[in-house]
Every structure is written in C-alpha cells, then in structure tokens.
C-alpha cells in the first residue's frame, strides 16, 4: 500500500484515477480549493495550489510516497510544487498533454525526445494568473512546467524526488465528458449541418477515458520510470472515423465543409497530432486499440445506447 496525494482530480479521468487507487488498497488524499467534496473514504485537504504558504500549512508534517498533480498548468505552479514537495514525496507524476508538441508537425508519430525541455525558455513572469491567458497558452504552460522539473533534475538544484510527466492524448468517452466536443459533432450530424474541417485534415492519437485513468495509476504506483512519457491508445483516428461512429449512433448525415482559414471543428487538425507510445509500451504498459473502445466512448458521451 502506498500513500498517494492527488492534486485536483475532481472530475473526468481524475475521478476515475482516485477510484482506481482506492480500490487497489492505496491510502489516497486529494487536495483542491474546496470546490468539490472528496469521495467517501478519501481524505480531503483544502488549499489553493497557487498559494505556497497555504500549501505549506495544510501539508505541515505530511509526506507521501507519490504525488499525482492533475492541475499543474504553468511554470509558476511547477516551481511552487518543486519547493513544497521537495522533502514530502519520493515520486511526482505531472499530468501533461499532447499540446506540448504544438510546434511539431511530423508525418511520423512524435516521440518524447522531439521536445527538448532543456531548450524551453521558462517565463514565470508572464500573465499565468489570468485564466484567458492561461487557456490561450495551454500547451506552452504545460511545456514550461515540464521544463521547470527537467531543469531541476539537470542542474542538481532539486527536486530530489523522481519525476515524470504523462503527455496525455486527446481523451474520449464517459457520460461526464465536459468538453462538449463530441456533442458538437452529434448536433450537426443529426441536422445534416456542415462541419468545418481544414482542407488537409490530419489524424490524431486518442485515449479512452478509462484507459488514461488506468495508465496514470500505473505510472503513479506501478512503475518507477522518470522523464516524459506519451500516453495514448494504438490506432490514430481521423475526423471522418469519429463522425462515422457518431452517425451510426444518431442517424443523420455527416457533411464536411473544407475551410482554408477560420475556426475549425474540434478533433480536426491542420497538423499531425500523432504521438509515439513505444516508450510506455517498452516500460511494460499494454494499450488497447482505439477500435476496441470507440463505439463505447461515443455511446457514453452522446447518451445513445450501444448498438
């Protein structure tokens, strides 16, 4: 049994991660600002993770085998975490994103070393406290946050804990998918309304909501690797494949409208979002193929009974 702290994680695959850790017999605590209650049997610590003094206070005298940070979005948050948890954990797992590769556009799946964290300029003075700025710079914030930990490991200044970032692919599935992205397609397909896509529409790698929760649990308590790791199911998906499954569920007709400029629909991409998961596989994780779960993911999210 391990003593695990999850920062954030009160919705979507974070909820599933907490449940998996608890069901596996680990002692789990969650830390958030008090915006949601902890599940039954889970310890609840209340603090704003941006407030270093508040974190130090609520964690006084505490230590953890593993910290899983679901809500580290900026280099400033990473620096706080680096200081606060330096003597409080042996392992730190940061939930990152495929968006760290936003400057990559490769026909081949992108491996972790495509991003040189040592070359990432860290700017803690940017307007990270502004929600609009943070959302507009989501990939950059995650990239710089990773760079804070990577830089610490390289220069020997800390943190002394083992560190990994899990670069999560686009997530599909679950009745609690809060993004509205599949619903965007379902509404248009039902009505036969045009769906805006780029002229050259690239495929992307995806992961099922249950699978990413299981992967994070494995990364936290079932493995001891360090550094970045890509996490996604086998089998990239195209917009057309996703829409075909939605059409099969809800009826209607998929109508694509190619646009040179302007806003395009979610899950359609002008550049490749394909990651290479061979590092995770080599470390011992077995991913499913997207074809094994796509139908269930669509049925769950758009509220249609499986057929």
């Amino acid at each position: 049994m391990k003593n695990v702290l999850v920062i954030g994680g009160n919705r979507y695959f974070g909820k599933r991660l907490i449940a998996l850790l608890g069901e596996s017999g680990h002692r789990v605590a969650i830390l958030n600002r008090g915006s949601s209650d902890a599940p039954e049997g889970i310890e609840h610590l209340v603090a704003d993770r941006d407030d270093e003094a508040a974190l130090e206070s609520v964690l006084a005298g505490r230590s953890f085998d593993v910290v899983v940070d679901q809500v580290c979005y900026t280099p400033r948050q990473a620096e706080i975490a680096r200081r606060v948890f330096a003597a409080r954990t042996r392992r730190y797992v940061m939930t990152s994103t495929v968006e760290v590769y936003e400057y990559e556009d490769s026909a081949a799946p992108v491996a972790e070393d495509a991003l040189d964290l040592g070359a990432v300029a860290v700017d803690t003075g940017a307007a990270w406290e502004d929600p609009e700025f943070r959302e507009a710079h989501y990939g950059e914030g995650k990239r710089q946050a990773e760079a804070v930990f990577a830089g610490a490991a390289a220069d020997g200044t800390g943190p002394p804990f083992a560190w990994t970032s899990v670069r999560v692919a686009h997530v599909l599935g679950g009745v609690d998918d809060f993004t509205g992205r599949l619903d965007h397609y379902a509404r248009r397909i039902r009505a036969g309304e045009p769906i805006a896509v780029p002229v050259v529409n690239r495929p992307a790698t995806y992961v099922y909501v249950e699978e990413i929760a299981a992967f994070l649990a494995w990364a936290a308590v079932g493995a001891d690797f360090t550094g970045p790791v890509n996490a996604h199911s086998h089998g990239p998906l195209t917009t057309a494949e996703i829409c075909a499954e939605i059409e099969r569920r809800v009826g209607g007709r998929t109508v694509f409208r190619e646009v040179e400029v302007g806003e395009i629909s979610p899950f359609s991409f002008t550049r490749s979002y394909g990651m290479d998961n061979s590092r995770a596989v080599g470390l011992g994780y077995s991913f499913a193929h997207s074809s094994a779960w796509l139908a269930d993911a669509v049925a769950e999210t758009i509220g249609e009974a499986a057929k």
Side-chain angles (χ1 to χ4, degrees), residues 190 249-250 298-307:
R190 284 189 183 104
R249 299 282 163 181
V250 306
V298 169
E300 291 166 0
T301 302
I302 63 177
E304 296 286 329
K307 296 181 180 178

Side-chain angles (χ1 to χ4, degrees), residues 39-124:
E40 185 177 353
I42 302 296
E43 183 182 8
H44 190 192
L45 304 176
V46 178
D48 184 343
R49 63 97 29 80
D50 292 319
D51 185 336
E52 187 167 351
L55 281 178
E56 290 282 3
S57 177
V58 77
L59 295 171
R62 301 292 299 268
S63 64
F64 304 91
D65 296 307
V66 186
V67 173
V68 183
D69 196 340
Q70 288 279 85
V71 289
C72 186
Y73 298 118
T74 75
R76 193 178 303 163
Q77 291 174 332
E79 288 196 340
I80 290 172
R82 171 180 165 180
R83 291 189 294 265
V84 169
F85 292 106
R88 288 189 170 94
T89 191
R90 291 193 289 270
R91 182 167 181 76
Y92 176 95
V93 179
M94 172 188 163
T95 301
S96 190
T97 173
V98 62
E99 300 294 341
V100 300
Y101 298 120
E102 64 182 315
Y103 300 129
E104 305 296 329
D105 186 7
S106 170
V110 177
E112 292 83 357
D113 59 6
L115 172 59
D116 179 4
L117 290 172
V120 173
V122 174
D123 181 8
T124 56

Side-chain angles (χ1 to χ4, degrees), residues 79-271:
E79 288 196 340
I80 290 172
R82 171 180 165 180
R83 291 189 294 265
V84 169
F85 292 106
R88 288 189 170 94
T89 191
R90 291 193 289 270
R91 182 167 181 76
Y92 176 95
V93 179
M94 172 188 163
T95 301
S96 190
T97 173
V98 62
E99 300 294 341
V100 300
Y101 298 120
E102 64 182 315
Y103 300 129
E104 305 296 329
D105 186 7
S106 170
V110 177
E112 292 83 357
D113 59 6
L115 172 59
D116 179 4
L117 290 172
V120 173
V122 174
D123 181 8
T124 56
W128 297 113
E129 72 284 352
D130 179 354
E132 290 186 5
F133 179 89
R134 192 164 58 241
E135 182 176 355
H137 297 81
Y138 175 69
E140 183 60 30
K142 287 286 192 180
R143 183 166 43 249
Q144 291 189 30
E146 287 194 33
V148 167
F149 293 108
D155 64 23
T157 62
F161 47 71
W163 164 81
T164 185
S165 60
V166 176
R167 294 172 177 170
V168 179
H170 301 290
V171 183
L172 293 176
V175 296
D176 54 339
D177 179 355
F178 61 92
T179 66
R181 292 175 293 194
L182 285 184
D183 284 336
H184 167 93
Y185 285 108
R187 288 194 303 271
R188 282 160 176 75
I189 290 170
R190 284 189 183 104
E193 295 176 352
I195 296 168
V197 296
V199 175
V200 179
N201 192 7
R202 308 289 188 187
T205 41
Y206 292 82
V207 65
Y208 186 38
V209 62
E210 305 291 347
E211 183 163 47
I212 192 56
F215 184 88
L216 284 166
W218 173 78
V221 299
D224 59 2
F225 62 88
T226 59
V229 63
N230 294 335
H232 64 85
S233 304
H234 299 301
L237 294 168
T238 64
T239 311
E241 288 171 321
I242 294 172
C243 287
E245 182 58 39
I246 296 172
E247 185 177 315
R248 192 171 78 84
R249 299 282 163 181
V250 306
R253 185 168 64 96
T254 301
V255 179
F256 290 127
R257 175 171 59 87
E258 295 182 348
V259 295
E260 294 281 359
V261 295
E263 187 173 352
I264 57 176
S265 297
F267 301 143
S268 56
F269 306 103
T270 57
R271 67 167 186 79

Side-chain angles (χ1 to χ4, degrees), residues 22-33:
E23 290 164 4
S24 298
H26 300 288
R27 186 166 58 249
V28 184
I30 64 169
L31 186 150
N32 61 32
R33 291 176 297 180

